[in-house]
Every structure is written in structure tokens, then in C-alpha cells.
Amino acid sequence: MSATDTGGRVSRFGSAVAEGWTRERFGLIGALVLVLVAFAPPFQVYLFTDFLVVALFALGFNLLYGYTGLLSFGHGLFYAGGAYGIAIVLRDLGPVIADVVGAGISPLVTFLVGGVVGLVLVVAVAVPVGWLSVRLEEIYFALITLAFGMLGYSLIIQDPAGLTNGTDGVIVLLGTVDLGGVSLRVGGRRIYYAISAVTVVAATYGVWRVVNSPFGTVCKAIRESPDRAVALGIDVGHHRWMTFIVSAAVVGVAGVLRAGLASVASPGLTHWSTSAIAVIATVIGGATYFYGPIVGAFIFLYIRWAISRFPALEAYWELFFGALLIAVVLFFKQGAVGGLMLIRDRLVGDDADEPSDDDARTTDGDGS
Amino acid sequence: MTTVLKTEDLRKRFGELTAVDDVSIEIDDDKITSIIGPNGAGKTTFYNLLTGVLQPTSGSIWLRSEGGGELADVTDAEPHEVAQAGLSRSYQITNIFEGLTVRENVRVARISHEGTRLDFRSRATADESVEADIEELLDLTGLTDIADTPCDTLSHGEKRTVEIALALAIEPNVFLLDEPTAGMNPTEVTEIVSLIRELDADLDATFVVTEHNMDVVTDISDRIVVLAEGAILADGSPEDVLTDERVTEAYLGSDSV
Amino acid sequence: MSLSSLVPLIGISDVVIGLSLGSRLFLIAVGLSLIFGVLGVLNFAHGGFYMLGAYVTLAVVSNVVDNFWVAAVVGALAVGVVGAAIEFSAIRRLYERADSDLDQLIVTFGFVLVIHETVRFVWGSGSYSIDPPDVFNFSVTFGGSTFNAYRLALIGLAVAVLVGLWLFITRTYFGSLVRGTSSDREMAAMLGVDVPRLYTGVFFLGSVLAGLGGALSAPLQSTSPALGDQVIIDAFIVVVIGGLGSMSGAFVGAMLIGMMQSLGPQFISAGSIAIPFLAMVIVLLIRPEGLFGGIGE
Amino acid sequence: MVTGNGEAGNKYNRNDDVKAGSESRAPVGRRRFLQAAGAGTAVALAGCSGGGGGDDGPVTLGAAYILSGFASLYGEEAERGIEFAQSEINDNGGIDGREVEVLTRDTEASGDTAIQQIRSLVQEDNVDGLFGLDSSGVAQAVAPQISQLQIPFMITHAATPFVTSPQGEHEDSVGNEYVFRDSNSLAQDIYGAARVAEELDATEWATIGPDYAFGYETWDYFQAYCDGLGVDAEFTAEQFPALATSDYTPFISSILDADPDAVLTPLWGADLTTFVGQAEDAGWFDQIDHTLFSVGMGTDLPSDGSPLPEGEYASTRYDPFVPDTETNNSFREAYYEEYGTLPTYNAEGAYRALHLYKEAIESAGGTDPSALVDEFTGMEHSGPVGEYQFSETNQATVASIWGTVTYDDEWGSNVLDPVDRYDAGPDVLSEALGDSDLPTGI
């Protein structure tokens, strides 16, 4: 890529930002927010990291639900898979890795190795589980994924292989990187936030690419009408299986980050009530929108936090989300993102060309 | 004249009911063939057998593959394999991707045809030749003006046209149209009939139509096959078939119920 | 290692306990199965209904009338009213949707949260238990093992509910409407059945069964807000194994799982809680309509 | 009738139709609400972490207990102890003239939740010190976080020895300089159980415990002590049902089939109440000679129907009658006057934690975390539980207390009578553990 090409891109980006509420301007604001959050008080950094992780969890879940119409009540299995993968590597291989690469850098290397192991583990589980599950549809798919999730939960609790430490889970200690006198605690709020933010942004971009690829376009078609897709020569079962695996992998990445954030990989991650968090966030945010799960996760985490500021109410936060879930499904299935779009259309007028929508058509501009 | 689709002694039983009863038929590429029959004659079951949605109890189905190869046995093929082999269909009750725009609908079909279904790295819109094909198809079916409209906001007639565009986009050898004029007003019927005539003239695909509207049937068909109680009752040119007494009887008999 | 001495023979008490656990599971599952069979709704909140039935019964016994049976009936009817209200105000809006199955599941999941938190608000997060009704509150010793006579009574009650429900469905006019509507809704509507009212009625009946299950099981378990979440999963296992929509299937499935829960702690030390889920997966894959009987009663 | 008050009497007169495992009460609800709302404003203004308010403002402490679910009564008891100590301190000049405030948070029975709550207390509410914790599993997950947050944590209940066993001593050890415990640990408590076992005419032993760290560790330590002390014991059956199991019958039946002479059970909270009722139905107390309840007296709240059957053995971390000192007697009397019940060990542990902070802050002249840690390290202290010192591993050298459950009409409550105190210092435990690789945690 030549220098002028880069310069052209930059100036094009600049004019796009100046032009109006374009994708570029939203992107720039988002990047600024991500940087600014790093300087917030520690608890706010923590809360925002939590939001990013839950957002990625829901985003992965919605790849299956929003894009192929399969509602999984068992994605906690992959969330836990990522978390346990890294937790077990940290516990059992940490010392070995330290011997090989030296103690100074080993926490970072172990974290990376653990992340990769977690991801591989998740995919290894998702391949057979997905292959079996996508044979079923609708309620039956929800039930079989729930059963797989709870099967995982039972096995983690009962720990026949002696790996998961039963009900108590595996403690995650990320350690401190020590390089030439500079020491950085990997689990430190701001450092871990940086790791999470980079990972989540990269994963989100990856999912966005998938959604807008030929593969993702076919996914959307399957959601709209599976038998029509079949009649066009699409092997819907196979496609759903592939989507299942990609979806699980994304959730697995979120699980890896969850382990470091929570400092423990606990069996509760694979319980159906954890899987339900992805459902809640996605439905509230709007399942038909790419950004729906992210906005939903934001609402979920921050409203929960706001409620927790009032201990008299704290115990009853689930009531709020239960009621919200019912209201959204009954009266406004577009969810929060749909609501935001409505508001934007009112404010900007209908002539704005849907810049923040998720669909493939929004990318027409950069083809040339 | 070439045979593009052939069934041999095709039979489908549901318990005690024989829905399709030893149907043997050869479809030729130089004619528009209409398959008609009273309600319950087995047309839908017959279509579902041809497209692989149902498995026949006995008999076989042969389809000429793309590019004029040999007839291949597709009796046991999965529905998507039948479609890939060159048999496309439209549905009696409109079945399109409602949440997508017209162009996206067609793009899905083109992606399927191009075999890039599992490509998750590149952009769906990145392949310029695919995009050009889409434009051409939209132009052919007269959908260019509404290409970026989400389908759930289209009129019934427009949706029926999208349905045809979708089925055509996979470049079928054989195109099964299941009641293309169902639910249309007279203006829309005229438009769709002329579209089918145009397409038949412009494309290599062989059209097979089921239809209730007898005016449409006589208008577009070169050959009519009448099904009754799962079996072929009559087969021939429109003039011959429509004057056949057994056909009149079958229809009147069913209508009088 | 002393494991060898851990393996006893199956005693009478194991069977009685297994059947009583199964009876409890049947009472939870049968209403779930009925509602699914007729309405096609998988009611995630059914466990919450069961828990609510137990709480209302406890509250009535301690505050209103000191009679377990009266309280159980009040509890069951109260839950029925709650269920009917939920069907009428929320679930009804979803029948005509394209993806109604999943929307129903999500909405009823919303009610799981609402019921759980409401119960916590009213009764706190602790757990309660209740003595069996006096008639059955005595110990029975049988082949060297002792159990409360109410365990036997519960088995009888479950059988009575099964028989009563069967008679109701097969011998009454309402039952014939239910059967007709479950096999072909459009046809039933054309024949003049008021389908919406029938649906509300069936949802009421299913909810009553859930509430009754909670009420009758209360003397044999502790009642806490977590109960609903625990039993709904058991109920899913039972109805899947027995066949969604099948009542006799729910009975057989419940007894199987009950025996498994009774014998599990003795024979399988690790992995015992995984087995029901494994069974659920296998049944869904091989025979999604369930092991016993098809859709119907 | 729900038995929700003191007149209910011994559960074994079970005339009541309903017995309550616990019932939600919120004696300090309103106050907590106001404090938290105030703290929220303070954070918004202060904006960053560290130290807490100035030296003139109140001393803020964070408490983390189980306030909901199967063991919520432990949190509620701790709240009473906190409230009691708080008004005692604030009515007598506070801590160096400063008021003491306590923010109480619910950990549930989840390590994940507990860590989040503790982070919020430290980083959002800027508390000066932390105390609490009921669950051993939670404590094991929390301890490593405490050393990262670099703030003292006084555990008042969670009993796992591994949080006061320095990291590296055993593969499960997570002890560090910031984590202390003012009540006795499982290693101390179960030493007493083995001493009781020594005296009993029972050779076949079984256990039924909760399916997490605490249940397993209790059984491991018991077996190790029996070996170490040369107790003639065989270990014949073990069952570990999940927390919050609603029906223990299959597990009970399985233990009964094995027919042991005695059973040690660390079930606790509402689980214990449920278990005891169902065990009684199954004829447990007729068939099994001795049952040892290692957490029994914490659950055995007179107000909630006193679940423990008379004549069985139970331990406690604090006994309201022993030692017979002025401090203990006046604490018991004042507490009884205030709440109408005897103080449970969880109330006493929390009560003492506040006094420990008072002493440390006054002695250090401020709330600097590392100064507080220095003060606590090796501190000698006395309270209702007696005189004790913090060991090298930050564990209080309190005694193991076991006795026979006896209903006492005067107090309307179960008490331990007769009761024995077993000295459980480092040397005693390490000798009793013999060849075992389990740490003493002291």
C-alpha cells in the first residue's frame, strides 16, 4: 500500500467524520470513549470491562440466534469452556511455561497460551455438540442446547477427571510481568482493561466481517426462511453447524476474558441461568441488529449497577429485567437499538441513508 | 428436443393414501409444461418429490445436469443438492427473505450459485462479477427500481416477482413455478404472464408451471399434464386436453363438492 | 478404600423414595406437558408456578386456615389464576407470530425472573418447610427402613391425578374439545370451538397442576425461592424423556428419573447428576417425540 | 403457623405446622440504604481510589456476607453483631473520635459475586478495611484478590484452613499477609471433632456434607486427625449433595444403608434445617448412635425453631457461656436484651471484627492499610470468645469448642451442655495431623 493511498484513506476518513453522523464518526467517538475509560476510577474501569466481556458473549450468542434463528439456552457451556481452558493452563502449565520462557514474561505468555487453549477447547466441544444440536429446530434446539449446557455443568461440578475442582471452580491468578525493571500486573484493572478492549474490539470486527461476508449473508437468509434457502441450493444444516462453531468460538473468547476478570472459573458459568444472560442482553438490545447485543449488554450491566447503588432495591434487580424482557418481546421486538433508530429517524429525518445499520449494503461505499 | 426432467413410476404413499401413483413423465426443454388438476390431485406432493423435500415410496427421478450433460438420478438427493443440480422452484405461498432487501435476496441466491456460501472472510459485496450478475437479473425481472427496498414492505405482486427472480438467480435448468399468479389482481397477472413468456424466450431454463387460473394456463402452456388422484389423467396440447371429457368431469366433479 | 461397603442392595426404602420423588416430578411435569401438547407453548415459568403453589399453601396454613388440604387447594387455584392471567395478558399475543415458539419461551422466561423476585420480596430468601398433614404424619417401618407415611400418600395422589386427568380428557366434553384442538387447531376453530378461551382454560388447568404439585410436595422438601429454577430443569428432562405433550409419558418419565435420583447417590459416585441430562440429549436426538406414546394423552 | 419469634421453643416439640429455616428480616435495612446512598455521592465527588476519606470523616468498613439464599441467616446474624458493635463504638467516642460506618454487601454463595462486591467496596466506596465471608469456597476465591487490592480482610466465619496457610505451603493454600481470621478454622474445629470421636463408642464413621470445598475439607481433616490421634475409626460412607438441595432423602437413605455408628456433618444454613427434618422422618436419630454437627450452632437459632436434636454433638466457634468472663457475660446479657436471643458465633465474630479494627486504627493512628496489616499481625486481643493472639499465619489461636446439644428453658434456646474446650494452637494441630500433608493453617 503506497503512502498516497494511506493519505487518501485518512483524508477520506476525515471528511466522512466531518460529513455527519456516519459510521466513521461513530467509530471515532467509540474509540475515544474506549481510551477515556482507561482513565476512569478503577471500579468504573472494572465495570466497563465487565460490559465488554458480556457484550462479546451476547454478540457471539446472537450470531446463532439473530442470524440463523436458533435460540440456544446452552451457550454458557462455551463461556465456561474458554474460562476453564485458561484457568487450567494457568494453574497447571504456568510453572512449566515460566521455566521455558523465563519468569519475567511468563504471565503474558501463559495468558496467551491459555487463551488459545481455551479457544481450541471450545471449538473441540462445539464441533460435535453443534453437529448434533442443529438437527433440531426451535423449541427442541433450545432444549437440547440447554441439556448440553447442563450436562457440562454437571460434569464440571462432579469433576470425574479431577481438572475442574468441582463446585469451587478454578482460581485464576494472572501474575505480574517483569521486564527490565518495569513490572506490570496482568490482572491490574487498567492493564486488563486494555487487553480486554483490544480483544473485544478485534473480535467484534471479526464478527462484523463474518456477518457481512457471503457466509453471513446466507445466515440472514436462513433466519428469514430456511426452506427457501434450501431451495436455492443451500445446505442449511451444514451452514447452521458452521455458524454454531463460529458463534461458540466468539463466546469462548469472551469466556477467556471472563476468567481473568472474575479471577475464578466457576461452574456457574455453564449453568443455564448464565446462558440466559446472553438471551436477556440480546433481546433487550434488539436481536435483528448487529449492535443489539452490545447495547443490550450495556443496559444490562449499567442498570444493574445503578440498581446496586440502592441496597434496598439490589436484591430485586432480576424483577426489573424480567419485566423489561416481557415488555420488549410483547411490544417492541426491535429492542433498544430499534428504539434508537426510531429516535434518530425522527431527529435526522428519513433521508439519512441508514449509516449505522448492520446490513451488507452499508459497505457498498468502500468497494472501489 | 431434449428431456431435462424425467420421472419413472414415481409413487408416494402416506399410510393408506397414495398421493402420487406411478407417475412417469418426461419434460422437454422446448415447451412450457403446465401441470394442473383439482385440489388434492397430488400436485404439491409431486413438486415436493421432485425437489427432494419428500422421499418417494418407489420410482425414480432424473435430472439433466447443468450444461447439457447426461440425465442423473436425483431420487435420493437432499433438497439443496437437487437445487444445486439445476432444479429451481417458486412457492405457491410467497417464500422469500422478507427481512432483506430485493437486492440482498438475489445476492443470497447468487452466493449459493457461485459456491461461496462458506466464505466468511471477504465482503459479500466484494465480488464485482457477482454484483454485475445481480444487476443484470434485477434488470431482467424489472426489479431495479425497488432493489434497495426491504421485501416486507413490497406489494404482493412485487413479492411474487422477487420469488421468480430468486429462483432464476441459481440459473436452473428446470424451473418449477407453483401457482405464480396466486392471489394476484388482473393487472399483476398480465404482467407476470408476460414476464414468464419473456423469460422463457431469453433463458435456457425449462419452465414447468402449476396453475389454477385456466386463462393463464391456456395462455402460456405448450403442453398440459392433468393429474387426478395422484395419476396422470391426460397429457397433450392445450386444445386436446381442455376438450377431453375426463378432464372436465374431474374438475366439475371436484368443484361440485 | 471403603468403597466396597458403599454398595448396598436396592431396598424397599429406595423404591418408595424413588417413587415418591417420581410422583413429585410427575406433578411438576404433567401440567407442563399438557400446556405444550395443546397450546404448543413451552412454559419456562412452570417451575415458578410450582414454587408459588408451595408458598401460597404455606402462607394459608400459617395465616388463614390450619388445614393442609384446604390450603393446598387454595394454593393450586391461586396459581391457576396467575397462570390464566399470564396467558391472557401476554402469551396470547404471540400465537400468531412467525417465530412464536421462541418468543413464548423468552416471555415465559421473563416471568421466571418476575415470579422468583416477587416471591423473594413477599416471603424473603430463606427456606420453609411444613409438616405432612396429620392423617399421614406417622412413621412407617418397612423391611428395616423408616419413612414418613406421607411419602406413600404422595405416590397415591400422583396416581390419582393421572387417572383423574385421563378421565377428564377422555370422558368429558371439555376434554374432547381439548383433544380436538390439540390435534387440529384450525379445524376446531371452524367447528365453532372458542379456541382462545379454550387455551386460557388449558393454561389455567396446567397451572393448577403446577400449583398442586408444589403444594403437595411441600411437606417433603424445603421451599425456597431457588426451588422454581431447580424443578423446571427436572421437569424439562421428564417431559422430553416422556414425550412433550404426553401425560402418560410424563408419568413414566417422572418415575424413571425419580428412581434414578433415589439410587444415584448409592451406585454412581461421580457423574450421577449428569446422567439425566445425557438421557435428555439422547432422547432428543433419537426420538424427539419422547420414549412413550406420541403426542396426545 | 410460621415460627418466626422467640417463643417457638425447641423444634423437637414439633407441634407447629411450619418450621422456618430462616425468614428475611432487615433490622438495619433503612440505615444501610441511607449509608449507601451517601457513599455513592462521596464516590462521585472523590472520583479515585485509595485511602478513603480524610482523618476527620467516618471510618468506613466493608462487610461481605451471605444475605440471600440458603444461608442468608448467617448474614443476618452478622448484621446484628455489626449493628451492636457499631452503636457500642459510636456511643463511646467512636474510633479516635471518628464515627464508624459499615457497608454490608451480599456475596451470595458465589466467589464471582463476592469478588465483584469486594472490588466495589474497595474501589467504589473506598472502605478502609474489610471483614466477613461465610462460605469457604468464596473465601478461597477471594483471598488472592485481597492481596492484589492490598487492604486488610478480617474473615469472621468462613472456615477453610487454606486461607490462613501461606501460598505455596499446599497446592490449595491461598493465605497472604492481608487475610486474617478472628474465629476458629475448620482445622481447629475438626480437631475437636476428632477428640470427641476419641471418647465415643463408635468405629464406623460416615459424612454427609455440602458439595464444595468445605464439605470435602471437613472430611479430609477428620480422617487425618483420627489417624494422627490414633482413633479407632473406619470411614465407611460419604455423600456430598449440592448446596441448596431441597430433598436430602436419597442421600440420607444411602447413609442409613451403610449403617455407620456415627456421622460427622458440616451441612449448614437452611440445608441443615432441611436435612435434620428429613433425617428425622427417615429414623436417622434412632438408627445412628451419634451425629456431630460441625456448623450446627450457627444455624441453631432459637428464633428459627432450633433444628438440632438434643443429645447429639455440635461445635461452635463461640459459646455465650464459656469462658465465664466479665466480657463474655456482659456481651451475652446486653445482646440478649437487644435482640431477645443468645448471640450466635457469627454475630460474635462480626462484632469482634469491628473492635479489632478499632484497636488497630487507634494504635496505628490512622487507616493506612499497610499500617493496619502491621497492627493485626501477631496482635493479642480479647473479646467475648476469650483471649487469643493472631498466629504467624494470621489465624486467631482460639479454642475448639464441642458439646452436647441441650435445650435450656431459661434462654429458650439450645445450648451446649456439657461443653469442652480443646486448645487448638499450632503445635497441637501439627502433632495431631501426624503424617498428613494437610496444613494446620495456624
Side-chain angles (χ1 to χ4, degrees):
Chain A
M1 187 189 293
S2 71
T4 51
D5 195 8
T6 316
R9 274 179 178 252
V10 169
S11 73
R12 238 185 298 142
F13 183 81
S15 58
V17 170
E19 226 167 64
W21 288 106
T22 53
R23 172 183 301 282
E24 285 78 4
R25 187 184 280 192
F26 278 112
L28 193 65
I29 292 174
L32 279 175
V33 168
L34 284 178
V35 172
L36 283 177
V37 165
F39 298 98
F43 187 78
Q44 290 304 324
V45 176
Y46 168 79
L47 189 62
F48 200 83
T49 316
D50 200 2
F51 147 64
L52 290 177
V53 174
V54 174
L56 189 61
F57 177 28
L59 196 69
F61 158 83
N62 197 41
L63 207 50
L64 201 56
Y65 175 54
Y67 287 91
T68 62
L70 293 176
L71 176 65
S72 162
F73 253 99
H75 261 43
L77 182 63
F78 309 115
Y79 205 37
Y84 274 92
I86 189 170
I88 291 169
V89 166
L90 284 167
R91 183 190 64 192
D92 295 347
L93 297 182
V96 182
I97 293 173
D99 281 349
V100 175
V101 300
I105 188 79
S106 83
L108 211 53
V109 176
T110 315
F111 185 80
L112 287 174
V113 172
V116 171
V117 168
L119 194 57
V120 169
L121 178 70
V122 165
V123 171
V125 173
V127 166
V129 167
W131 189 73
L132 294 170
S133 300
V134 297
R135 290 149 187 271
L136 302 172
E137 287 189 307
E138 299 187 336
I139 290 296
Y140 292 93
F141 180 83
L143 281 172
I144 198 170
T145 47
L146 184 121
F148 271 120
M150 291 305 290
L151 184 60
Y153 177 75
S154 315
L155 292 176
I156 288 175
I157 292 255
Q158 301 213 320
D159 195 12
L163 278 174
T164 57
N165 195 29
T167 313
D168 298 299
V170 180
I171 292 170
V172 174
L173 296 171
L174 294 173
T176 303
V177 174
D178 201 346
L179 281 180
V182 185
S183 69
L184 294 173
R185 206 157 52 74
V186 179
R189 278 311 98 219
R190 288 171 220 284
I191 293 171
Y192 199 73
Y193 167 70
I195 294 172
S196 304
V198 169
T199 312
V200 171
V201 168
T204 303
Y205 177 71
V207 174
W208 188 79
R209 284 295 298 261
V210 168
V211 163
N212 288 298
S213 70
F215 179 86
T217 306
V218 171
C219 282
K220 279 181 271 190
I222 292 174
R223 171 191 69 197
E224 298 292 328
S225 173
D227 49 344
R228 202 358 149 184
V230 168
L232 294 177
I234 293 162
D235 184 348
V236 168
H238 190 261
H239 211 88
R240 281 178 162 162
W241 181 32
M242 291 299 129
T243 314
F244 191 100
I245 295 167
V246 176
S247 161
V250 174
V251 169
V253 173
V256 168
L257 293 173
R258 162 62 56 199
L261 185 68
S263 309
V264 57
S266 48
L269 291 177
T270 149
H271 196 263
W272 65 267
S273 54
T274 302
S275 304
I277 290 174
V279 179
I280 296 173
T282 299
V283 170
I284 289 175
T288 51
Y289 298 96
F290 179 80
Y291 296 105
I294 300 176
V295 172
F298 187 84
I299 294 171
F300 182 73
L301 265 294
Y302 279 85
I303 288 189
R304 208 172 128 180
W305 172 73
I307 291 174
S308 80
R309 298 311 296 152
F310 302 98
L313 300 176
E314 188 182 359
Y316 307 109
W317 64 269
E318 284 186 2
L319 182 70
F320 176 83
F321 285 104
L324 192 60
L325 202 58
I326 294 165
V328 167
V329 176
L330 288 183
F331 304 113
F332 197 72
K333 263 200 94 180
Q334 299 92 320
V337 172
L340 290 173
M341 305 277 269
L342 266 185
I343 293 169
R344 191 203 58 188
D345 288 351
R346 290 268 165 77
L347 292 179
V348 181
D350 287 334
D351 51 359
D353 196 17
E354 309 274 318
S356 63
D357 203 347
D358 56 311
D359 295 329
R361 64 179 172 277
T362 54
T363 63
D364 285 354
D366 16 1
S368 49
Chain B
M1 185 193 95
T2 324
T3 300
V4 288
L5 178 68
K6 184 173 79 168
T7 67
E8 282 178 354
D9 301 330
L10 198 62
R11 175 193 286 257
K12 179 68 184 177
R13 295 175 64 92
F14 297 104
E16 291 301 301
L17 175 79
T18 305
V20 171
D21 193 359
D22 287 346
V23 172
S24 297
I25 193 170
E26 289 187 8
I27 305 284
D28 302 328
D29 67 345
D30 58 350
K31 294 192 180 97
I32 295 183
T33 306
S34 287
I35 297 175
I36 65 170
N39 282 329
K43 287 172 296 179
T44 304
T45 308
F46 184 59
Y47 263 35
N48 284 338
L49 289 172
L50 292 182
T51 52
V53 174
L54 291 176
Q55 282 295 306
T57 311
S58 61
S60 60
I61 306 165
W62 300 76
L63 182 66
R64 190 167 306 280
S65 58
E66 226 175 322
E70 290 299 300
L71 277 173
D73 186 349
V74 293
T75 315
D76 298 324
E78 294 284 319
H80 68 272
E81 291 167 342
V82 175
Q84 286 171 8
L87 182 81
S88 190
R89 72 175 297 185
S90 73
Y91 288 81
Q92 183 177 346
I93 298 163
T94 311
N95 190 348
I96 58 176
F97 308 120
E98 296 265 345
L100 309 185
T101 65
V102 174
R103 180 180 279 118
E104 285 168 335
N105 263 272
V106 176
R107 186 179 291 127
V108 169
R110 287 307 295 179
I111 287 169
S112 175
H113 183 66
E114 297 284 328
T116 55
R117 293 176 290 265
L118 294 178
D119 174 0
F120 57 85
R121 281 185 300 258
S122 54
R123 299 253 164 107
T125 52
D127 189 330
E128 286 171 31
S129 74
V130 169
E131 293 302 297
D133 292 343
I134 293 170
E135 292 313 314
E136 195 186 325
L137 203 82
L138 290 171
D139 188 43
L140 190 67
T141 47
L143 290 167
T144 309
D145 291 345
I146 51 169
D148 290 316
T149 314
C151 287
D152 47 13
T153 61
L154 297 180
S155 74
H156 181 70
E158 288 166 336
K159 286 184 183 178
R160 299 298 298 179
T161 313
V162 173
E163 173 102 53
I164 289 174
L166 267 183
L168 281 180
I170 62 169
E171 296 181 21
N173 278 5
V174 181
F175 186 176
L176 306 181
L177 284 155
D178 197 353
E179 307 219 3
T181 68
M184 285 184 164
N185 64 40
T187 326
E188 289 171 334
V189 168
T190 317
E191 282 171 12
I192 206 101
V193 166
S194 66
L195 177 65
I196 293 169
R197 283 184 171 288
E198 273 175 47
L199 294 172
D200 184 51
D202 292 351
L203 302 173
D204 291 336
T206 306
F207 284 75
V208 179
V209 181
T210 62
E211 190 52 65
H212 263 128
N213 185 331
M214 277 304 164
D215 293 338
V216 173
V217 172
T218 39
D219 197 5
I220 62 172
S221 308
D222 301 311
R223 172 187 173 194
I224 295 177
V225 177
V226 183
L227 284 183
E229 291 171 359
I232 295 177
L233 185 70
D235 184 351
S237 67
E239 300 79 36
D240 295 345
V241 167
L242 294 177
T243 52
D244 193 318
E245 273 181 28
R246 289 171 304 168
V247 174
T248 327
E249 195 179 312
Y251 266 88
L252 288 177
S254 96
D255 282 351
S256 63
V257 170
Chain C
M1 203 43 213
S2 52
L3 270 177
S4 58
S5 56
L6 289 183
V7 183
L9 297 167
I10 301 179
I12 287 173
S13 66
D14 301 322
V15 175
V16 172
I17 290 165
L19 293 179
S20 69
L21 292 174
S23 301
R24 172 174 159 255
L25 289 170
F26 168 72
L27 292 169
I28 304 164
V30 67
L32 184 71
S33 204
L34 174 73
I35 290 173
F36 185 85
V38 180
L39 281 71
V41 175
L42 187 65
N43 179 21
F44 216 130
H46 206 75
F49 289 177
Y50 170 91
M51 168 183 74
L52 199 59
Y55 268 105
V56 173
T57 304
L58 289 164
V60 170
V61 164
S62 48
N63 299 318
V64 189
V65 271
D66 193 4
N67 180 314
F68 175 78
W69 305 108
V70 173
V73 170
V74 172
L77 290 176
V79 172
V81 170
V82 170
I86 287 176
E87 194 278 341
F88 189 78
S89 62
I91 297 169
R92 168 170 294 202
R93 295 167 187 272
L94 304 172
Y95 296 134
E96 301 301 330
R97 287 205 187 157
D99 43 3
S100 76
D101 286 2
L102 298 184
D103 282 0
Q104 286 157 1
L105 191 68
I106 295 172
V107 163
T108 54
F109 172 67
F111 281 107
V112 170
L113 302 177
V114 170
I115 292 171
H116 181 261
E117 298 296 85
T118 307
V119 162
R120 271 180 61 180
F121 184 75
V122 176
W123 286 288
S125 66
S127 62
Y128 295 85
S129 50
I130 183 174
D131 281 341
D134 291 340
V135 219
F136 296 113
N137 195 12
F138 56 91
S139 289
V140 179
T141 306
F142 223 57
S145 48
T146 305
F147 39 82
N148 195 292
Y150 187 71
R151 262 182 207 283
L152 295 171
L154 188 70
I155 300 169
L157 286 166
V159 173
V161 167
L162 177 67
V163 171
L165 211 53
W166 181 77
L167 289 174
F168 180 71
I169 296 284
T170 53
R171 301 289 161 83
T172 65
Y173 177 65
F174 184 79
S176 66
L177 293 185
V178 168
R179 275 182 296 145
T181 311
S182 77
S183 57
D184 190 338
R185 184 187 168 185
E186 276 78 28
M187 184 60 85
M190 280 197 296
L191 294 175
V193 177
D194 184 347
V195 174
R197 252 176 74 189
L198 185 91
Y199 274 21
T200 309
V202 169
F203 209 92
F204 172 80
L205 180 59
S207 310
V208 165
L209 289 168
L212 189 68
L216 295 180
S217 309
L220 293 181
Q221 69 186 25
S222 60
T223 301
S224 71
L227 188 61
D229 285 2
Q230 290 166 359
V231 299
I232 189 61
I233 299 300
D234 288 344
F236 281 164
I237 297 172
V238 166
V239 296
V240 163
I241 289 177
L244 272 164
S246 160
M247 275 163 245
S248 51
F251 190 80
V252 181
M255 292 304 162
L256 267 180
I257 299 293
M259 289 309 292
M260 220 182 270
Q261 286 181 348
S262 165
L263 298 175
Q266 301 180 51
F267 291 102
I268 318 145
S269 48
S272 62
I273 56 172
I275 290 171
F277 295 109
L278 196 62
M280 182 173 169
V281 165
I282 292 170
V283 170
L284 277 170
L285 288 172
I286 294 171
R287 238 181 108 84
E289 71 274 25
L291 292 182
F292 310 96
I295 310 295
E297 70 275 359
Chain D
M1 171 184 63
V2 174
T3 54
N5 53 46
E7 72 199 15
N10 190 316
K11 183 218 81 168
Y12 267 71
N13 315 318
R14 274 218 281 164
N15 303 320
D16 315 324
D17 291 304
V18 184
K19 63 179 191 290
S22 86
E23 193 187 347
S24 180
R25 290 175 308 271
V28 292
R30 181 163 172 76
R31 180 177 293 180
R32 258 166 64 211
F33 176 83
L34 293 173
Q35 280 169 354
T41 327
V43 172
L45 295 174
C48 67
S49 70
D55 280 355
D56 302 331
V59 172
T60 315
L61 299 175
Y65 287 99
I66 296 180
L67 294 164
S68 64
F70 81 101
S72 57
L73 77 152
Y74 284 85
E76 288 155 13
E77 280 296 302
E79 283 189 319
R80 287 180 169 192
I82 293 167
E83 190 186 52
F84 193 73
Q86 207 179 349
S87 46
E88 199 174 273
I89 291 170
N90 287 341
D91 292 349
N92 292 291
I95 299 176
D96 260 346
R98 296 163 66 187
E99 288 252 305
V100 61
E101 278 186 358
V102 180
L103 304 178
T104 310
R105 294 286 178 82
D106 183 6
T107 63
E108 300 167 4
S110 149
D112 210 346
T113 309
I115 289 171
Q116 194 171 344
Q117 295 284 27
I118 285 166
R119 277 202 184 116
S120 160
L121 284 168
V122 174
Q123 295 179 334
E124 207 177 7
D125 296 317
N126 301 311
V127 295
D128 298 305
L130 293 164
F131 64 96
L133 295 188
D134 294 300
S135 158
S136 287
V138 170
Q140 266 166 271
V142 163
Q145 298 304 307
I146 299 304
S147 80
Q148 296 195 346
L149 292 166
Q150 304 187 326
I151 185 164
F153 199 116
M154 184 63 67
I155 294 175
T156 66
H157 177 205
T160 174
F162 295 103
V163 295
T164 53
S165 157
Q167 213 181 324
E169 186 182 8
H170 181 274
E171 59 174 348
D172 293 331
S173 298
V174 287
N176 60 67
E177 56 179 319
Y178 292 93
V179 176
F180 299 81
R181 176 165 40 215
D182 73 357
S183 61
N184 72 21
S185 76
L186 176 161
Q188 293 166 301
D189 187 40
I190 299 305
Y191 166 71
R195 292 288 299 273
V196 171
E198 231 175 352
E199 305 296 319
L200 292 178
D201 180 22
T203 47
E204 292 189 5
W205 284 81
T207 192
I208 175 167
D211 179 26
Y212 75 107
F214 182 60
Y216 295 97
E217 289 169 9
T218 297
W219 193 228
D220 289 346
Y221 273 87
F222 183 69
Q223 297 182 52
Y225 283 128
C226 285
D227 286 350
L229 294 172
V231 179
D232 174 25
E234 271 178 62
F235 309 102
T236 57
E238 48 184 52
Q239 288 296 331
F240 296 100
L243 282 176
T245 292
S246 61
D247 193 343
Y248 285 88
T249 315
F251 304 97
I252 289 167
S253 162
S254 171
I255 297 269
L256 290 179
D257 285 347
D259 198 20
D261 302 323
V263 175
L264 172 65
T265 176
L267 287 174
W268 60 299
D271 287 356
L272 179 59
T273 314
T274 306
F275 164 76
V276 170
Q278 291 167 352
E280 191 205 15
D281 276 347
W284 175 289
F285 299 105
D286 301 328
Q287 187 181 333
I288 291 175
D289 299 340
H290 307 288
T291 307
L292 276 62
F293 295 94
S294 78
V295 202
M297 294 305 285
T299 308
D300 191 29
L301 297 174
S303 62
D304 284 322
S306 303
L308 294 190
E310 284 192 78
E312 305 294 346
Y313 291 85
S315 75
T316 184
R317 288 157 174 68
Y318 153 76
D319 189 292
F321 303 96
V322 186
D324 184 12
T325 58
E326 169 57 27
T327 318
N328 194 19
N329 292 338
S330 64
F331 172 70
R332 180 186 66 231
E333 300 294 336
Y335 189 96
Y336 192 84
E337 189 150 311
E338 180 76 24
Y339 299 109
T341 63
L342 289 170
T344 59
Y345 65 72
N346 224 31
E348 196 267 350
Y351 166 85
R352 201 147 35 79
L354 257 72
H355 280 281
L356 280 160
Y357 269 106
K358 174 179 158 71
E359 196 167 319
I361 292 168
E362 287 178 345
S363 167
T367 56
D368 177 60
S370 58
L372 291 182
V373 166
D374 287 346
E375 290 297 332
F376 285 143
T377 306
M379 184 193 254
E380 288 181 25
H381 190 252
S382 74
V385 77
E387 288 182 11
Y388 60 97
Q389 187 180 6
F390 284 96
S391 75
E392 280 173 24
T393 65
N394 296 345
Q395 167 63 46
T397 53
V398 288
S400 178
I401 308 167
W402 279 84
T404 307
V405 177
T406 308
Y407 186 74
D408 185 311
D409 287 326
E410 186 189 342
W411 299 95
S413 173
N414 274 343
V415 298
L416 295 180
D417 185 25
V419 61
D420 281 310
R421 283 163 60 95
Y422 303 97
D423 175 37
D427 300 338
V428 178
L429 296 195
S430 114
E431 196 187 324
L433 279 172
D435 303 332
S436 167
D437 66 345
L438 293 169
T440 60
I442 183 165

